Amino acid sequence: MDFEQADAINQAVRHLTLRHRARAAALLAPLGLHPGQEVLLLELARTGPMIQAQLSEALGCEPPSVTLMARKLEAAGHIRRRPAPSDRRASVVELTDSGAALVGQVRQLWRDLAEETAAGLPAETAAALPGLLMTLADNVDTRHPHGQGVAPS
């Protein structure tokens, strides 16, 4: 691949991620949330209570980042943390009633953001986006050696 094509790809990915995160932040702010916190709430809604280390792995975030998000969400009353019965050093994280109620709003916001992001694309292209974007993410996943990601089909 020549530099111009490489630059075009890298710039497009950079612009998309910056703009998507900024738009998500603007939509989340009225709910009192910051980017990343909504994903934590959605994961707990999807899986139920889980150990914080497992939550970190599921979110693809470093444990200190999840700890910080969890503290803020706990202070806001949206989650609770308690010692894990099998390991008192580990914390189980779960939604509170407030957090569960907030998840409905987050899901609607997430739908709105996806529709806004994919606006103007043919339905087939929009349907293919998750697979394409996950392939790109897997290709640059620092947790796996290069070439271990999912190859484009």
Side-chain angles (χ1 to χ4, degrees):
M1 164 180 324
D2 65 20
F3 176 78
E4 285 73 26
Q5 184 180 11
D7 188 47
I9 290 170
N10 290 324
Q11 289 293 342
V13 170
R14 180 178 167 277
H15 286 291
L16 174 60
T17 56
L18 290 171
R19 290 177 183 167
H20 190 271
R21 184 171 176 87
R23 184 65 180 136
L27 293 171
L28 289 165
L31 300 179
L33 296 174
H34 298 281
Q37 293 175 333
E38 82 286 5
V39 181
L40 189 151
L41 294 171
L42 290 169
E43 184 65 23
L44 289 175
R46 186 176 12 263
T47 63
M50 62 192 314
I51 292 175
Q52 195 164 307
Q54 295 168 323
L55 186 56
S56 175
E57 180 67 25
L59 298 179
C61 293
E62 294 296 320
S65 297
V66 173
T67 298
L68 182 60
M69 281 192 285
R71 281 187 189 141
K72 290 179 178 182
L73 290 168
E74 186 175 38
H78 301 312
I79 65 165
R80 79 176 55 86
R81 294 184 296 170
R82 58 182 164 76
S86 60
D87 181 354
R88 306 293 276 168
R89 296 169 297 161
S91 295
V92 174
V93 183
E94 62 188 340
L95 290 174
T96 61
D97 290 343
S98 168
L102 190 57
V103 165
Q105 294 175 281
V106 169
R107 285 181 174 152
Q108 183 58 53
L109 178 150
W110 223 222
R111 281 191 295 272
D112 294 345
L113 181 57
E115 287 174 4
E116 190 176 314
T117 302
L121 294 177
E124 307 80 42
T125 302
L129 272 179
L132 293 170
L133 294 172
M134 287 308 297
T135 296
L136 295 177
D138 288 343
N139 287 344
V140 296
D141 188 344
T142 58
R143 296 173 297 174
H144 304 288
H146 185 67
Q148 296 275 327
V150 177
S153 51

